[in-house]
């Protein structure tokens, strides 16, 4: 059984819904995908623009990060710096 968690960061809308089944949703949203004994947990910092804590929580939970870029914005820079620090 292999379990990994992947963070979804940047300009994302409905990406998590395409990747897995929606689970818990508060400051962060969890999406679950399972094939046989292997599972992937996708973590999205849903309320990141309003508060910085969801970004930090999501980064702490992830093994890998996917960053989606539509345009260069200050939030993207914050995300890259936070990912680099962790």
């Amino acid at each position: 059984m292999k379990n990994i968690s992947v963070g979804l960061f940047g300009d994302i809308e409905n990406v998590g819904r395409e990747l897995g089944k929606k689970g818990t949703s508060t400051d962060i949203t969890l999406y679950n995908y399972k094939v046989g004994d292997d599972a992937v947990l996708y973590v999205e910092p849903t309320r990141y623009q309003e508060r910085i804590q969801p970004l930090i929580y999501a980064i702490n939970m992830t093994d890998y990060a996917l960053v989606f870029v539509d345009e260069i914005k200050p939030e993207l820079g914050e995300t890259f710096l936070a990912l680099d620090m962790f």
Side-chain angles (χ1 to χ4, degrees):
M1 177 178 220
K2 186 174 186 179
N3 298 313
I4 63 169
S5 59
V6 178
L8 304 174
F9 305 100
D11 297 319
I12 51 177
E13 266 190 53
N14 302 322
V15 172
R17 290 181 187 165
E18 296 176 18
L19 296 173
K21 183 179 176 185
K22 186 175 180 180
T24 305
S25 180
T26 54
D27 287 351
I28 58 173
T29 303
L30 305 178
Y31 298 94
N32 303 299
Y33 179 76
K34 187 172 181 180
V35 175
D37 289 336
D38 299 333
V40 179
L41 172 68
Y42 294 100
V43 182
E44 177 185 337
T46 312
R47 295 186 60 201
Y48 161 56
Q49 302 300 328
E50 301 167 30
R51 302 173 40 213
I52 192 75
Q53 290 89 348
L55 177 66
I56 295 168
Y57 298 151
I59 290 172
N60 279 323
M61 293 177 65
T62 61
D63 298 317
Y64 301 98
L66 290 177
V67 180
F68 299 87
V69 180
D70 280 342
E71 63 180 290
I72 305 297
K73 298 187 286 188
E75 293 84 9
L76 181 64
E78 289 176 350
T79 300
F80 282 136
L81 287 173
L83 286 168
D84 183 52
M85 291 177 68
F86 285 95

